[in-house]
Amino acid sequence: MTQASARPTAARRQHDREIVALAVPAFGALVAEPLFVMADSAIVGHLGTAQLAGLGVASALLTTAVSVFVFLAYATTAGVARRVGAGDLQAAIRQGMDGIWLALLLGAAVIAVVLPTAPALVDLFGASHTAAPYATTYLRISALGIPAMLVVLAATGVLRGLQDTRTPLHVALAGFVGNAALNAGLVYGAGLGIAGSAWGTVIAQCGMAAVYLTVVVRGARRHGASLRPDASGIRACAQAGVPLLVRTLSLRAILMIATAVAARLGDADIAAHQIILSLWSLLAFALDAIAIAGQAIIGRYLGAEDAQGAREACRRMVQWGIGVGVLLGLLVIVARPLFLPLFTDDSTVKGAALPALLMVALSQPICGIVFVLDGVLMGASDGPYLAWAMLLTLVVFTPAALLVPTLGGGLTALWAAMTLMMTVRMLTLWLRARSGRWLVTGATR
């Protein structure tokens, strides 16, 4: 091997090591998050059907409320990583603190909205008269933990920006264990029922937030960063988050439209759709882990004013996205006959799901490219473009999905529309990545 050919190989290996070191722990932390709801469901489910139904409605509302603010993690990761690349750790942590203060302010605002409107929100989501009181109880208590949940998002972004995804993994796993233990103790040991489950989740989330704050505060003191709220810094974090909020809301709208269309296709189709959507979300965790690595790595390269390094890292991560997507697609094809019986014995549901699952499998390489480039552009703080691209995707997807019940094709056609949606995202992101306009270097964009 010549010296010239050895350099690209060494660079690829370095990128591979960084991607693996950041993505693997990030994947573990991502998987741990839905385990909170699973643990709550397993414990509350033994109280009765009405209690479990109430938990389902309240959890959907809480998940929606928190996921809307996921930009707290994304924008903070990019901003902190840029300053890390520029070699200014004090400013990096100071920016992270601004994100945490913003999380506390938004959390307080959400509490102020949710507490008085909880019964109306539960009714809006269609809870039955037997499930509604349990849903309202769980929602009102769990809402008290929303500031902690948002702090966890922002602090996770700080650590990712500092190129640390191991600490979030450890905190997430400890939080899951603590949540399960608290739920079991308060629901059955203390006899608090569904309220005990809500209080257990609040305590676990507050514990996680306390650990994160301890880590960030220690870093701030070590590097001489101020812990006081800074109005201009908080305002800058909010402004950076607005485009990502638009992006997230557009994506949520796409998923809601898909579910609404599936419901119009019939009971078997909506049941099959929920099964497929759960699998699609699980596959997304693996791809999102690479995207998280992309946010941290790209932000660091651009902060260090190394545009070429950012471009090379982007190229390598896209290769990873395609490779992981192909692997996931093959696993879905092979595991289809084994996966469906875990959720249903209904042959009609299985019949609707099988061809749609094939569509999901074929789309995984596309999803791999989408997730990676999404992470790359987030790491480059290219939020405005991401917002416009997702709005365009929503405009293309909506009529395609709404025509499915009219034109026929059932659930398979709906997931073909979902594949169209991911293809449009891939094209818009690829065009931006290819243009190089995202390669804006410096400690700030």
Side-chain angles (χ1 to χ4, degrees):
M1 181 181 295
T2 66
Q3 186 174 359
S5 62
R7 281 197 295 270
T9 301
R12 283 197 301 272
R13 288 176 179 171
Q14 179 185 349
H15 292 318
D16 290 345
R17 285 193 295 269
E18 286 187 330
I19 292 167
V20 171
L22 291 170
V24 172
F27 174 70
L30 288 170
V31 170
E33 291 174 9
L35 293 179
F36 272 80
V37 177
M38 290 180 64
D40 289 0
S41 299
I43 292 169
V44 171
H46 292 286
L47 293 174
T49 301
Q51 288 89 335
L52 184 58
L55 173 66
V57 171
S59 294
L61 284 163
L62 284 168
T63 300
T64 300
V66 174
S67 65
V68 162
F69 299 111
V70 73
F71 69 82
L72 289 167
Y74 294 158
T76 304
T77 297
V80 171
R82 274 183 176 269
R83 295 186 182 276
V84 168
D88 192 347
L89 288 176
Q90 182 185 72
I93 296 176
R94 175 63 258 179
Q95 178 148 1
M97 285 303 306
D98 292 335
I100 289 173
W101 280 111
L102 177 61
L104 287 170
L105 291 173
L106 290 173
V110 173
I111 287 179
V113 171
V114 170
L115 287 183
T117 62
L121 291 171
V122 167
D123 288 341
L124 184 65
F125 265 59
S128 68
H129 70 280
T130 54
Y134 297 110
T136 301
T137 297
Y138 190 93
L139 181 59
R140 277 182 165 157
I141 296 172
S142 294
L144 300 176
I146 286 178
M149 296 179 195
L150 300 187
V151 166
V152 167
L153 282 178
T156 299
V158 176
L159 295 180
R160 288 173 181 171
L162 294 170
Q163 318 295 295
D164 176 10
T165 56
R166 291 185 178 274
T167 299
L169 170 61
H170 297 153
V171 174
L173 291 176
F176 166 69
V177 173
N179 177 69
L182 286 165
N183 267 259
L186 294 174
V187 171
Y188 297 114
L192 296 179
I194 196 169
S197 177
W199 281 117
T201 300
V202 169
I203 295 169
Q205 292 288 350
C206 288
M208 292 171 65
V211 172
Y212 274 120
L213 288 175
T214 300
V215 173
V216 174
V217 167
R218 285 177 179 173
R221 288 175 175 169
R222 186 164 55 249
H223 296 287
S226 173
L227 299 174
R228 294 180 179 177
D230 176 69
S232 61
I234 295 172
R235 188 162 49 250
C237 286
Q239 290 171 346
V242 168
L244 296 179
L245 175 62
V246 173
R247 168 201 168 274
T248 300
L249 290 174
S250 299
L251 180 58
R252 296 293 299 184
I254 287 170
L255 297 177
M256 289 176 65
I257 290 169
T259 300
V261 170
R264 291 177 63 188
L265 296 176
D267 290 348
D269 288 289
I270 185 60
H273 176 74
Q274 289 303 112
I275 294 171
I276 295 170
L277 193 60
S278 67
L279 175 63
W280 193 75
S281 300
L282 179 63
L283 298 173
F285 286 137
L287 299 172
D288 204 24
I290 305 174
I292 288 169
Q295 293 171 30
I297 293 170
I298 295 299
R300 192 190 73 230
Y301 272 115
L302 294 178
E305 301 194 8
D306 185 357
Q308 183 59 30
R311 190 185 290 276
E312 291 174 356
C314 173
R315 185 181 302 115
R316 188 57 178 166
M317 280 183 281
V318 168
Q319 293 171 353
W320 268 82
I322 294 171
V324 173
V326 170
L327 178 60
L328 292 175
L330 291 173
L331 287 174
V332 171
I333 292 172
V334 172
R336 278 188 307 161
L338 303 175
F339 173 75
L340 288 174
L342 296 176
F343 292 88
T344 182
D345 295 322
D346 190 322
S347 59
T348 306
V349 174
K350 291 180 182 178
L354 276 170
L357 276 175
L358 182 59
M359 189 66 65
V360 170
L362 294 175
S363 70
Q364 287 309 297
I366 297 173
C367 293
I369 297 172
V370 168
F371 275 82
V372 167
L373 291 180
D374 207 38
V376 165
L377 296 184
M378 284 183 189
S381 302
D382 203 12
Y385 182 83
L386 290 172
W388 284 111
M390 188 60 79
L391 284 171
L392 173 63
T393 304
L394 175 61
V395 169
V396 174
F397 170 78
T398 300
L402 294 179
L403 283 172
V404 168
T406 302
L407 298 180
L411 194 64
T412 304
L414 176 60
W415 277 92
M418 289 287 285
T419 302
L420 171 66
M421 178 269 293
M422 295 302 291
T423 302
V424 172
R425 290 188 68 189
M426 180 185 69
L427 291 174
T428 56
L429 296 173
W430 177 77
L431 287 171
R432 185 64 167 183
R434 187 172 179 269
S435 73
R437 293 176 184 173
W438 56 279
L439 290 166
V440 180
T441 59
T444 58
R445 185 180 171 93

